[in-house]
Amino acid sequence: MKRLLSLLLVALVGASACGGSGDDDTGEATPSAEGFPVTIEHKYGTTEIPAPPERVVSVGFNDQDTILALGTVPVGIRDWYGDQPDATWPWAHDLLDGAEPEVLPADELNVEAVAALDPDLIVGVSSGMTAEEYETLSAIAPTLAQSGDFIDYGMPWQDQTLMIGEALGRADEAEAMIAEVEDRYATIRADVPDLAGAEATVSYVMDESQIGAYGPEDARSRLLTDLGMVIPPEIADLAGDQFYSQFSREQIGLLDRDVLIWITSEPGIVEQIQADPLRQQLDAVAQGREIFLTDMESGAASFSSVLSLPYLLDTLVPKLAAAADGDPSTPVG
């Protein structure tokens, strides 16, 4: 089941220590012991972090982005997908600064590998960890799970960034990063008014017989709603308390909205979608309101982090504007 959820998260689609107190060799201030211990509330209770973490292991699917953005290089990073060097995508890789963290497998949490890295903080905000996994990991080191206020894998990037920032002693920096991205969203909403209220579906191919769309609490859908767009209520109802919905290809009309976006991550998937005769009957296709995200755009949307979102918006927003402008002749990219 965990493997299936990992694939849905995608797109149905050695070790290095860093951090400490004082100044690093770049002259930038690093967290001091002031303000610690820190207590973080989450789905499974509270976690106390006694001192600024120096050996952080990222067991979530996208937590490494936030950890790196806040100035800490994890000693271990759980892989997700995409076969990226050091399990770190281009928008974040330079922040490794030459370090080579241990890459942990994507499928199941490898507790032995985590313990061998001797962490003083385990970050699993985007891991979907179970209560049993939390108990096991927290016996190794203080462990962060997601907030209980959201469905599994549904914690908004803002909340995720702030939680990790507090754990690392960098809450102020986290708030500043959040504000910067939110300012970017506000500018886009003002500059592209056609997005306001436009219905959109973020869709994927499950297998030969099923397709689906991400629900409103998924990061990819939140990306669109942050831009003023709307996830159709039918998709929300189908998703229920999950981050995704799935249905037969014969129900592809559920995807036919003001903007239809396809998340693609498998070789040949675009050609497979385009060859579907049922898809070719959709108004969104005939009127040029369909967008196929590239593999890199799909990855950035799936990560939806303070690092990947600015990277993505540069190319995604022009495509959204073209799809939502009401002019079928405007190419979407």
Side-chain angles (χ1 to χ4, degrees):
M1 183 62 179
K2 185 63 68 102
R3 177 58 176 166
L4 171 61
L5 288 172
S6 175
L7 290 171
L8 286 165
L9 278 164
V10 170
L12 288 264
V13 183
S16 171
C18 185
S21 59
D23 292 333
D24 61 22
D25 56 11
T26 67
E28 296 181 356
T30 56
S32 70
E34 184 179 355
F36 283 86
V38 170
T39 300
I40 309 291
E41 294 185 4
H42 52 73
K43 182 177 182 177
Y44 299 120
T46 60
T47 292
E48 182 175 290
I49 304 164
E54 296 185 350
R55 296 187 61 81
V56 178
V57 174
S58 177
V59 299
F61 290 108
N62 69 356
D63 293 329
Q64 68 267 36
D65 273 17
T66 306
I67 297 167
L68 286 164
L70 291 166
T72 294
V73 177
V75 296
I77 296 176
R78 186 179 183 180
D79 197 8
W80 185 5
Y81 82 104
D83 195 26
Q84 298 296 316
D86 305 302
T88 306
W89 288 64
W91 52 80
H93 197 272
D94 286 352
L95 295 176
L96 290 174
D97 197 26
E100 297 180 355
E102 184 76 17
V103 175
L104 305 173
D107 292 352
E108 299 293 332
L109 281 169
N110 189 324
V111 175
E112 292 78 9
V114 172
L117 292 170
D118 191 27
D120 51 21
L121 178 65
I122 301 169
V123 179
V125 179
S126 63
S127 68
M129 70 174 67
T130 64
E132 181 180 3
E133 289 170 333
Y134 171 75
E135 291 297 330
T136 302
L137 291 171
S138 61
I140 299 170
T143 299
L144 291 186
Q146 73 166 67
S147 166
D149 294 334
F150 307 98
I151 65 172
D152 284 349
Y153 308 106
M155 191 168 174
W157 64 269
Q158 297 96 324
D159 298 78
Q160 176 185 16
T161 302
L162 187 56
M163 177 184 280
I164 295 175
E166 291 174 345
L168 297 176
R170 291 188 176 275
D172 290 346
E173 291 94 324
E175 290 178 350
M177 291 176 182
I178 294 168
E180 184 174 352
V181 178
E182 289 185 332
D183 285 347
R184 180 91 179 270
Y185 278 123
T187 298
I188 293 168
R189 290 193 299 269
D191 290 346
V192 193
D194 288 334
L195 300 182
E199 281 196 330
T201 50
V202 187
S203 313
Y204 61 86
V205 171
M206 180 68 177
D207 54 36
E208 291 184 358
S209 63
Q210 289 194 312
I211 55 177
Y214 292 104
E217 294 192 66
D218 178 75
R220 284 147 287 216
S221 292
R222 289 188 193 276
L223 161 65
L224 300 182
T225 56
D226 281 345
L227 291 171
M229 305 181 80
V230 176
I231 303 302
E234 295 91 337
I235 299 299
D237 290 343
L238 285 169
D241 60 358
Q242 300 181 104
F243 65 88
Y244 64 96
S245 64
Q246 60 188 61
F247 37 87
S248 71
R249 286 181 182 254
E250 286 71 26
Q251 295 175 284
I252 196 170
L254 288 167
L255 306 179
D256 200 4
R257 307 292 169 157
D258 297 317
V259 179
L260 166 55
I261 299 171
W262 292 100
I263 291 282
T264 60
S265 64
E266 301 291 336
I269 194 68
V270 173
E271 292 78 6
Q272 179 185 342
I273 295 169
Q274 290 176 333
D276 188 331
L278 293 174
R279 164 204 163 263
Q280 295 169 12
Q281 300 173 20
L282 301 180
D283 289 340
V285 174
Q287 297 171 13
R289 295 184 274 107
E290 180 186 43
I291 299 171
F292 287 90
L293 299 189
T294 67
D295 289 349
M296 200 61 63
E297 288 171 334
S298 295
S302 297
F303 267 71
S304 281
S305 71
V306 290
L307 294 179
S308 74
L309 288 171
Y311 178 96
L312 171 64
L313 291 172
D314 285 340
T315 59
L316 176 61
V317 171
K319 294 179 180 181
L320 290 174
D325 69 357
D327 183 355
S329 68
T330 307
V332 297

